[in-house]
Amino acid sequence: MTAPQITKSTDEHITTLALNAPEKLNALSLEMRDALIEALQTSFMDDACEAVVITGAGGVFSSGGDIRAPRPEAQAVARTVRLKIGRLQELVRLVCHSPKPVVAAVDGKAYGAGLSLVLACDAVVAAEGAQFCAAFGKVGFIPDAGLLYTLPRRIGGARAQHLMLSARAVDTPEALSMGLVDVVAPRAALLATATTEARRLAHIAPLAFSAIKSLGTGGCNTLEEAFAAEQRLQPLLALSHDYGEARAAFAERRKPSYRGH
């Protein structure tokens, strides 16, 4: 029986999805992309799920695209590449616009499209010894899966350009210092730390979380756009149940119980 491309586990409302092809260093095959998209969609629709952690099995996050897959006939190359990139873009888009927090728990290598998937997440927790690399140029490709957008937003334009042009690997201490990683944990505590981070993000009121996230992915490029977003969204949020609940919980010195409306 073939092992599932994605394995799923739950810890008190936090869902962990693990890329599960360690014999291929969790390369993002077309089948794995489809399986992860389906697993994420199911998790986002599950009311019992408050946040998602994405990790990799076998001590590695992902080596990137599956370049070991058979090369198609010449006339089908462009069509096949568009199909594969399209599914990868759909995956990254799903994570970037998710209604719930998504945390990357990175052990071992996060290379190429694996790095792109990591940077689509809301927070990055890395194990000691993890490595990050925009390795696309080494196989004759440009960075894809949104990395041309997400990497500069994470670490700045000049530094991102250098990493993409040099295709050099970055270890955990350097990744933390440049802002590529948010939290570093011992390998044995990686998933526990990532789950704690996911739970911390899930404490934010759901409507506010979705609004902040949507504006962070390109909704506010100037000060005036930020002002306009505030004028548009803040009055609507003030009418929500969650805002009233937050005020009541603050006055009563208790934890709020949000409903997402």
Side-chain angles (χ1 to χ4, degrees):
M1 184 175 179
T2 304
Q5 294 286 303
I6 303 296
T7 61
K8 178 180 177 180
S9 59
T10 303
D11 179 6
E12 296 182 357
H13 305 291
I14 306 299
T15 297
T16 297
L17 302 175
L19 312 180
N20 188 40
E23 72 283 357
K24 294 184 178 180
L25 300 179
N26 297 326
L28 292 165
S29 64
L30 191 57
E31 294 76 18
M32 181 176 283
R33 297 171 198 189
D34 290 342
L36 185 53
I37 288 171
E38 182 179 354
L40 285 168
Q41 289 172 332
T42 300
S43 299
F44 294 156
M45 293 296 292
D46 183 1
D47 290 339
C49 172
E50 296 180 354
V52 174
V53 173
I54 300 177
T55 192
V60 62
F61 185 83
S62 174
S63 59
D66 188 6
I67 62 174
R68 298 178 184 177
R71 183 177 173 86
E73 297 294 331
Q75 62 270 24
V77 168
R79 183 173 65 252
T80 301
V81 169
R82 287 194 183 97
L83 171 63
K84 290 183 175 181
I85 288 180
R87 292 302 279 169
L88 199 54
Q89 290 172 341
E90 184 175 347
L91 170 59
V92 168
R93 186 180 293 113
L94 184 62
V95 175
C96 284
H97 296 295
S98 68
K100 299 176 181 180
V102 182
V103 175
V106 183
D107 191 10
K109 294 181 178 180
Y111 278 30
L115 176 61
S116 301
L117 177 57
V118 166
L119 295 191
C121 297
D122 301 304
V124 181
V125 179
E128 295 169 348
Q131 287 188 328
F132 304 83
C133 183
F136 300 90
K138 291 183 178 180
V139 297
F141 273 179
I142 65 167
D144 60 24
L147 196 70
L148 290 164
Y149 171 81
T150 56
L151 187 58
R153 288 177 69 86
R154 263 274 177 179
I155 64 174
R159 184 172 283 167
Q161 181 87 337
H162 181 261
L163 286 185
M164 290 186 284
L165 290 175
S166 66
R168 70 179 183 87
V170 176
D171 61 15
T172 302
E174 184 180 3
L176 180 64
S177 69
M178 68 171 58
L180 197 63
V181 164
D182 298 302
V183 181
V184 175
R187 291 188 67 185
L190 174 63
L191 283 181
T193 304
T195 299
T196 298
E197 183 66 18
R199 192 165 283 119
R200 181 181 295 115
L201 294 179
H203 285 166
I204 298 174
L207 288 178
F209 177 88
S210 295
I212 293 168
K213 188 164 180 176
S214 65
L215 294 172
T217 52
C220 294
N221 296 310
T222 67
L223 179 62
E224 291 304 321
E225 287 180 358
F227 286 162
E230 295 165 13
Q231 290 282 3
R232 183 177 73 256
L233 294 174
Q234 212 73 306
L236 296 175
L237 292 171
L239 295 172
S240 70
H241 164 273
D242 286 353
Y243 176 69
E245 168 63 9
R247 290 174 58 92
F250 180 80
E252 297 164 12
R253 298 183 180 181
R254 60 173 174 82
K255 182 181 177 180
S257 178
Y258 297 125
R259 297 179 185 174
H261 62 78

